[in-house]
């Protein structure tokens, strides 16, 4: 308003009456008012400036963290380029229970597909990645588990940088996490450890806010069975083994993504931060040299997906920060001529920087679902099938942000280690980060709540997830066993030199004997949990009852599916290591002016849902950039 009055007074005083000048002045005032109010721009051409210190490629889970933290310094100017649309006003994104509607193969998904997976009977799978502001934090299941303390200590060991250790990332956990009351406001005493959480951070984390009939049964089972299924008061304490409540990034009944928590209206009011959606970066271009290295500070982008004729460029004065995710970041590097020279030449791209680890080391979680029938309709299937129930629940959510739709379909999970049979681990080694880290996550669901559900029947599900996949070819290894046994690895390579053609994604699910062993034992753990009297009295016959190794292997090959937690395609390694893509400060090796801050840099997949670890990464990555400048 002050700016408007100054401009209006100046206009009146000078007596100008030229309509063209009047139009230009009012356009300037309107644009200034827009910037003061905070904005997400649809086109780069709408920006008030093309001069930026930092250009962040990708407004996803980590990218928005970095944008927020760097823009805290008014001396730095920041641009975020997001390929997808804005998240604002999309109710399906807001409603936690509707998370399964968002992917795969929707307008909010990149709609990638894997190659046929050899170990899973040649089946292909959707490879879901968020194509919207907030990235995958806007479309995922919101489950919040950090992994074990040993996961982070292993990152520190591999990178030779203690800044990544569990002890030293605690400051970043507190910085991004805001522990919040569940939607129903119930007493959560005994359901979490208050000392393990942050209360003043940006992103809300809360426990389930609507009770399910299976809650008490699962908790009763922990006391009945004990041992591997003992109750764990807080799965995020760094010691996740056992069964406990599953928190999620939900704030007062609504999804809290990096877009809603880090790009708040107050943050978007900062004059030094601009966010542009519907803008896809195709390459990072060399923009000179620095310290005898090629500098990559120029981004090539197009205003709309597939518009190859409309490419433009912008150059950052300080750094380009890739935050396009485990598919997007290596994809852009490869199209920029940074990667394995042979792979680049094969698709007609001129190799510029030899960095053969780009796109290698792809790791992802996969799950073997175990289903039991139940003799009740009080399951999630009814919430989807019954139009009256669904309409009432939706109205309750819209008016009060309470009721069944305030939660994700998961309320409890368990983390277990499999037994050492004296053969497999002797041959391959233990793939976990340490003796207090799990091999398997057990995800417990009172029914099926996906986009498509069976036309009849009600079910109880315990999914067995391998959280320590061993498929990898690079020297980012567990121990010497992986060198000698040549375990095939996951990878991402280009299909062609067309930046709008999806890459070839091969996660190598169940790609080793070790993976198959862990999955078999994970299913047996799920079966043992279902034998607890509290659960056995609830469930009927299992839909599948594999018992022998051969039956279990065939069950996995026919029914196993993926979890969409990819990491590793731009892995961290020590500064002087001859493998990896980024150093411990997240700088791309061998070049200047370019960093990667997203889940692609994790050299090992954490033994939990990757979102929490990616927020931590975003906070520490932002600090590393700040320290450099």
């Amino acid at each position: 308003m002050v700016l408007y009055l100054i401009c209006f007074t100046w206009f009146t005083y000078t007596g100008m009456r030229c309509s063209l000048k009047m139009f230009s002045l009012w356009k300037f005032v309107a644009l200034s008012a827009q910037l003061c109010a905070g904005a997400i721009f649809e086109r780069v051409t709408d920006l008030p400036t093309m001069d930026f210190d930092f250009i962040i490629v990708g407004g996803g889970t980590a990218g928005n963290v970095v944008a927020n933290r760097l823009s805290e310094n008014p001396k730095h100017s920041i641009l975020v380029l997001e390929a997808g649309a804005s998240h604002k006003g999309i109710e399906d994104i807001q409603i936690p229970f509707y998370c399964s509607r968002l992917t795969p193969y929707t307008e909010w998904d990149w709609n990638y597909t894997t190659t046929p997976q050899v170990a899973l009977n040649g089946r292909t799978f959707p490879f879901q990645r968020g194509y919207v502001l907030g990235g995958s934090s806007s479309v995922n299941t919101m489950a919040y588990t950090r992994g074990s303390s040993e996961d982070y200590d292993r990152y520190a060991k591999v990178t030779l940088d203690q800044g990544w250790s569990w002890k030293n990332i605690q400051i970043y956990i507190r910085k991004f996490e805001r522990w919040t009351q569940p939607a129903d406001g119930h007493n959560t005493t005994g359901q979490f450890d208050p000392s393990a959480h942050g209360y003043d951070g940006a992103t809300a984390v809360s426990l389930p806010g609507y009770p399910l009939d299976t809650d008490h049964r699962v908790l009763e089972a922990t006391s009945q069975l004990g041992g591997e299924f003992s109750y764990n008061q807080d799965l995020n304490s760094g010691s996740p083994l056992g069964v406990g409540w599953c928190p999620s990034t939900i704030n007062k009944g609504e999804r809290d993504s990096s877009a809603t928590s880090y790009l708040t209206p107050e943050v978007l009011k900062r004059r030094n931060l601009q966010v542009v959606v519907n803008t896809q970066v195709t390459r990072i271009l060399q923009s000179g040299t620095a310290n005898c290295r090629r500098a990559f500070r120029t981004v090539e982008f197009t205003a709309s997906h597939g518009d190859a004729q409309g490419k433009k460029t912008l150059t950052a004065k300080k750094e380009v920060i890739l935050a396009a995710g485990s598919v997007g970041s290596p994809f852009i590097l490869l199209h920029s001529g940074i990667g394995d020279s042979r792979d680049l030449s094969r698709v007609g791209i001129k190799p510029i920087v030899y960095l053969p680890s780009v796109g290698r080391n792809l790791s992802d979680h996969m799950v073997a679902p175990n289903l039991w029938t139940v003799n009740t309709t009080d399951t999630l299937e009814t919430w989807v099938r019954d139009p009256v129930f669904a309409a009432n629940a939706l109205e309750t959510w819209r008016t009060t942000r309470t009721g069944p739709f305030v939660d994700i379909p998961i309320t409890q999970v368990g983390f277990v280690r499999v037994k050492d049979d004296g053969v497999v681990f002797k041959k391959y080694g233990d793939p976990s980060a340490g003796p207090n880290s799990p091999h398997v996550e057990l995800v417990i669901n009172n029914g099926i709540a996906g986009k498509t559900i069976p036309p009849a029947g009600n079910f109880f599900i315990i999914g067995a997830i391998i959280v320590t996949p061993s498929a990898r070819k690079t020297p980012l290894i567990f121990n010497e066993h992986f060198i000698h046994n040549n375990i095939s690895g996951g990878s991402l390579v280009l299909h062609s030199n067309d930046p709008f053609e999806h890459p070839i994604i091969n996660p190598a699910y169940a790609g080793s004997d070790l993976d198959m062993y862990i999955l078999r034992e994970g299913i047996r753990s799920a079966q043992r949990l279902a034998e607890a009297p509290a659960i056995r009295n609830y469930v009927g016959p299992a839909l599948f009852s594999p018992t022998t190794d051969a039956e279990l292997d065939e069950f996995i090959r026919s029914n196993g599916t993926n979890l969409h937690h990819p990491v590793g395609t731009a892995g961290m390694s020590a500064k002087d290591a001859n493998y990896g893509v980024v150093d411990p400060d997240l700088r791309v090796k061998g070049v200047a002016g370019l960093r990667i801050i997203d889940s692609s840099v994790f050299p090992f997949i954490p033994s939990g849902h990757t979102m929490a670890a990616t927020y931590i990464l975003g906070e520490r990555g932002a600090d590393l950039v700040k320290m450099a400048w």
Side-chain angles (χ1 to χ4, degrees), residues 368-376 379 381 442-448 457-464 522-532 535-536 538-546 555:
N370 305 275
L371 283 72
W372 290 262
T373 59
V374 294
N375 294 318
T376 177
T379 63
E381 290 89 4
L442 300 176
V443 176
I444 303 165
N445 302 82
N446 187 33
I448 303 171
N458 297 81
F459 305 93
F460 179 78
I461 307 167
I462 305 177
I523 293 170
R524 287 175 170 137
S525 289
Q527 292 170 338
R528 289 194 296 273
L529 178 56
E531 283 299 309
I535 296 176
R536 190 175 64 242
Y538 176 70
V539 303
L543 262 63
F544 308 96
S545 301
F555 174 76

Side-chain angles (χ1 to χ4, degrees), residues 63-99:
N64 292 335
V65 178
V66 178
N68 178 306
R69 297 309 184 191
L70 294 186
S71 63
E72 289 174 338
N73 184 344
K75 294 181 180 179
H76 292 158
S77 55
I78 295 94
L79 172 66
V80 178
L81 297 176
E82 166 57 39
S86 172
H87 65 293
K88 291 188 175 181
I90 303 173
E91 190 176 62
D92 281 3
I93 289 178
Q94 295 175 288
I95 299 175
F97 185 69
Y98 283 174
C99 58

Side-chain angles (χ1 to χ4, degrees), residues 412-496:
Q412 295 90 27
V413 298
F415 291 97
V416 299
R417 289 181 63 80
V418 304
K419 66 180 180 180
D420 182 354
D421 69 348
V423 178
V424 174
F425 282 5
K426 184 178 181 179
K427 180 178 181 181
Y428 294 111
D430 183 350
S432 72
N436 298 308
S437 300
H439 299 108
V440 171
E441 178 184 5
L442 300 176
V443 176
I444 303 165
N445 302 82
N446 187 33
I448 303 171
K451 285 199 294 185
T452 58
I453 64 172
N458 297 81
F459 305 93
F460 179 78
I461 307 167
I462 305 177
I465 302 169
I466 177 172
V467 294
T468 55
S470 60
R472 58 183 66 239
K473 274 187 175 176
T474 72
L476 295 172
I477 56 171
F478 304 121
N479 53 44
E480 68 278 4
H481 294 286
F482 288 85
I483 297 176
H484 302 311
N485 288 280
N486 190 32
I487 289 180
S488 62
S491 64
L492 179 151
V493 296
L494 298 183
H495 194 278
S496 73

